[in-house]
Amino acid sequence: MLLSLGLLFAALSLGRCIPLQQAPNRSKLLLVSFDGFRWNYDQDVDTPNLDAMAADGVKAKYMTPAFVTLTSPCHFTLLTGRYLENHGVIHNMWFDTKTGVRLPYYTTQGISSWWDNGSLPIWITAQRQASEFMECLHSQGLKTGSIHFPGTKAKYQGEQVYKKVVEPALFNYSNETNWRQSIDTVMEWFTVENLDFITLYFGEPDSSGHKFGPESTQRKNMIKQVDRTVGYLRQRIQEKGLESSLNLIITSDHGMETVIKTNEIHIRKVTNFTFQDLDFQLLDYGPSGLLVPKEGKLEHVYSVLKNAHPKLHVYKKEEFPKRFHYANHSRITPLLLYSDPGYVIHGRYKVQFNKGEHGFDNEAMNMKTIFRAVGPAFKKGLVVEPFESVNVYALLCELLGITPEPHDGSLEVTKPMLRSGAPLHPAGKMPLMLGLALVLGCWGGLF
Ligand SMILES: *[C@@H]1O[C@H](CO)[C@@H](O)[C@H](O)[C@H]1NC(C)=O
Ligand SMILES: *[C@@H]1O[C@H](CO)[C@@H](O)[C@H](O)[C@H]1NC(C)=O
Ligand SMILES: *[C@@H]1O[C@H](CO)[C@@H](O)[C@H](O)[C@H]1NC(C)=O
Ligand SMILES: *[C@@H]1O[C@H](CO)[C@@H](O)[C@H](O)[C@H]1NC(C)=O
Ligand SMILES: *[C@@H]1O[C@H](CO)[C@@H](O)[C@H](O)[C@H]1NC(C)=O
Ligand SMILES: *[C@@H]1O[C@H](CO)[C@@H](O)[C@H](O)[C@H]1NC(C)=O
């Protein structure tokens, strides 16, 4: 009885699905990330275009990234609103503790099972968002695109970003001509292809910060290049007539710290420690380490490393500080290491030569990053208090008019940035109301 009623209802509502009216064009959204843009990088360089954007929109004093402060994990937090222990992308490198295989950043981009670990990035949610009601109204979901953004290459539950550009394995992340081409592609996707939401990633100023250090002239020059690029982007938005219909967010994944080269942490040199006591190790990756001791060796390895160096912190998985929201995931190993700002962890051999590094405690000021926004949804000339990056996702969903997946942030945190009054996403809310009316109509007709 229930089943046949359901079938009848389905048939009836399909039958009544007539396009009532064309949904008005919703606002578009562009999320830009400049990797490794520390919160205060604009304070020792002239940045006229970033300043103009702040005057026209909203600027956070700074944003606190998730922990560990690494590229892929922190970008996935922006895309899902979840801490690392909840989205599962806990490192830039895919690894297998059984075989000891570790894959570098670029290769890991292509391992869907690494990314698709229970949290759906906003691209996929936006594409599928058509609820039963909206399907009834012939809504196809939103059209999304992504250029170079971490996570772009993967498939999620078999689905992927509609329009994507993935960088080749050997790619010059600093080429300004290339940056402008990416911006031109974004403009074309918005205007010709009518995409609703695009994510755009630049690998700088992270590369310059690593190579030359965060206080270097090279990093400062790169900030000038970033600023010119922001100017170019906003000029193109204006030329395309998108200024009143496009919301633009510029943010990043983490900051950058100068590496200290004295009194270094070198695990091989720790008294009574031997790599023979380990089944697996992921070391030599900035300030973090993941270890799997051999059976029966956990207490021993833990005790020899625990007080080995004043700047090194060693924890059993269950005892890792909860404030990091990092260790409660099946991919986290039984022992975890992290070091204080400036100190990287060397394993067997010293293979880390960067002058700048990240991955440190997200409470350290030099790990804080930027958040800027401008567009029809945002207030003008507003500076807001710092907030955590897990909250960005709920804002993106609100701007797109889609229902968020379960997440660790809150829209309340970013709501003060938004203009009150005007509905944010007429096209998002209206079909729901129309759908409700339709259903009521259907039921009214049935009974
Ligand atoms: C909606 O956007 C498309 C593509 O940009 C455009 O062709 C169309 O005229 C727009 N419709 C309205 C009502 O603005
Ligand atoms: C996440 O990945 C781990 C293996 O790395 C796997 O055991 C677990 O089932 C995955 N969880 C989900 C929800 O995909
Ligand atoms: C990347 O391109 C820029 C020019 O845009 C050039 O100055 C730089 O040397 C290139 N870097 C590498 C590693 O090729
Ligand atoms: C920079 O990028 C442009 C466009 O992709 C390319 O033509 C040029 O050769 C690149 N320059 C360098 C130095 O890599
Ligand atoms: C190293 O091991 C030896 C032998 O078990 C022990 O006597 C010594 O105290 C240990 N040293 C440290 C620093 O743990
Ligand atoms: C750890 O994660 C599980 C789900 O994987 C959850 O049920 C549990 O509450 C979490 N524990 C803590 C202390 O957050």
Side-chain angles (χ1 to χ4, degrees):
M1 178 62 186
L2 266 180
L3 183 67
S4 56
L5 258 184
L7 285 174
L8 184 62
F9 171 66
L12 208 92
S13 36
L14 275 177
R16 294 222 178 166
C17 265
I18 39 155
L20 294 176
Q21 69 176 79
Q22 204 59 47
N25 286 351
R26 67 178 74 219
S27 288
K28 296 177 185 294
L29 177 60
L30 173 58
L31 176 70
V32 178
S33 171
F34 286 100
D35 195 321
F37 198 124
R38 196 169 75 189
W39 72 283
N40 60 356
Y41 269 178
D42 63 342
Q43 293 182 7
D44 55 9
V45 182
D46 270 340
T47 53
N49 295 297
L50 281 165
D51 297 348
M53 182 170 160
D56 293 342
V58 179
K59 168 186 170 174
K61 285 180 181 163
Y62 58 81
M63 185 173 79
T64 296
F67 183 87
V68 284
T69 46
L70 292 180
T71 300
S72 290
C74 287
H75 278 96
F76 210 57
T77 291
L78 290 171
L79 295 170
T80 60
R82 310 219 73 169
Y83 293 113
L84 275 59
E85 67 187 3
N86 295 329
H87 67 49
V89 181
I90 55 128
H91 205 280
N92 278 347
M93 292 175 85
W94 178 91
F95 60 87
D96 183 342
T97 57
K98 297 280 181 295
T99 60
V101 175
R102 287 156 294 189
L103 299 177
Y105 173 85
Y106 184 78
T107 319
T108 301
Q109 295 297 315
I111 312 279
S112 291
S113 61
W114 181 249
W115 296 86
D116 187 15
N117 198 231
S119 294
L120 216 50
I122 185 168
W123 304 302
I124 308 302
T125 306
Q127 285 172 179
R128 305 184 164 164
Q129 56 108 45
S131 65
E132 214 174 303
F133 296 144
M134 296 179 92
E135 262 165 29
C136 186
L137 287 157
H138 301 274
S139 170
Q140 302 296 309
L142 302 186
K143 281 174 155 182
T144 72
S146 184
I147 299 181
H148 303 167
F149 211 88
T152 297
K153 204 176 177 185
K155 283 189 179 171
Y156 302 87
Q157 298 174 11
E159 294 172 54
Q160 53 188 322
V161 191
Y162 171 61
K163 282 279 196 184
K164 62 167 80 172
V165 176
V166 176
E167 68 273 26
L170 286 178
F171 183 67
N172 184 338
Y173 283 104
S174 319
N175 184 339
E176 192 170 358
T177 310
N178 195 277
W179 291 12
R180 291 188 178 213
Q181 286 176 348
S182 293
I183 288 172
D184 293 344
T185 302
V186 166
M187 292 304 131
E188 190 182 303
W189 284 356
F190 275 134
T191 54
V192 179
E193 310 266 347
N194 200 22
L195 261 58
D196 300 284
F197 172 52
I198 299 173
T199 55
L200 171 61
Y201 168 87
F202 298 101
E204 290 279 9
D206 185 72
S207 299
S208 301
H210 276 303
K211 194 167 175 194
F212 305 106
E215 313 310 331
S216 63
T217 307
Q218 289 89 339
R219 184 279 293 171
K220 289 175 191 166
N221 286 338
M222 189 49 73
I223 294 303
K224 291 180 191 163
Q225 179 173 326
V226 168
D227 188 68
R228 284 194 298 274
T229 303
V230 171
Y232 180 75
L233 170 61
R234 295 196 66 212
Q235 178 201 325
R236 297 295 286 144
I237 289 172
Q238 198 173 26
E239 286 167 4
K240 291 287 178 185
L242 288 169
E243 226 175 2
S244 62
S245 60
L246 173 73
N247 290 305
L248 166 66
I249 293 175
I250 296 182
T251 186
S252 176
D253 46 358
H254 51 70
M256 190 66 71
E257 178 78 63
T258 302
V259 174
I260 297 167
K261 307 269 187 184
T262 55
N263 189 24
E264 291 180 296
I265 300 167
H266 197 164
I267 298 298
R268 180 170 60 87
K269 295 192 171 164
V270 171
T271 313
N272 288 354
F273 172 84
T274 166
F275 278 95
Q276 286 169 357
D277 287 339
L278 301 181
D279 270 336
F280 175 83
Q281 51 97 1
L282 208 179
L283 296 165
D284 304 299
Y285 208 98
S288 64
L290 297 170
L291 306 180
V292 182
K294 287 199 171 128
E295 210 177 323
K297 291 289 182 185
L298 187 133
E299 287 301 333
H300 172 73
V301 175
Y302 174 72
S303 68
V304 298
L305 290 179
K306 183 75 185 156
N307 297 307
H309 192 290
K311 305 294 181 184
L312 176 67
H313 305 274
V314 182
Y315 286 100
K316 294 177 190 167
K317 176 175 178 167
E318 317 78 59
E319 293 168 2
F320 200 72
K322 298 287 175 256
R323 70 175 173 93
F324 288 120
H325 302 285
Y326 177 61
N328 187 26
H329 191 276
S330 62
R331 288 174 175 176
I332 299 288
T333 53
L335 283 184
L336 294 87
L337 319 183
Y338 80 93
S339 46
D340 282 340
Y343 292 85
V344 301
I345 301 174
H346 297 285
R348 269 182 226 271
Y349 310 104
K350 282 196 194 170
V351 290
Q352 301 184 84
F353 304 108
N354 283 337
K355 290 188 173 155
E357 204 49 82
H358 53 86
F360 301 100
D361 189 339
N362 56 350
E363 279 310 315
M365 277 314 287
N366 283 342
M367 289 301 103
K368 310 288 185 186
T369 187
I370 55 163
F371 180 93
R372 317 285 180 98
V374 70
F378 291 97
K379 289 179 182 162
K380 234 172 120 76
L382 178 71
V383 177
V384 298
E385 292 305 310
F387 59 89
E388 283 187 72
S389 67
V390 283
N391 298 298
V392 172
Y393 171 77
L395 174 65
L396 302 178
C397 290
E398 176 72 6
L399 293 169
L400 289 171
I402 60 175
T403 307
E405 302 283 334
H407 61 93
D408 299 321
S410 166
L411 182 62
E412 293 309 310
V413 175
T414 56
K415 239 182 186 166
M417 298 177 187
L418 300 174
R419 289 186 196 187
S420 45
L424 275 176
H425 38 77
K429 286 242 165 82
M430 195 131 77
L432 187 64
M433 273 151 46
L434 290 173
L436 272 172
L438 196 76
V439 165
L440 287 177
C442 288
W443 281 93
L446 190 59
F447 297 110

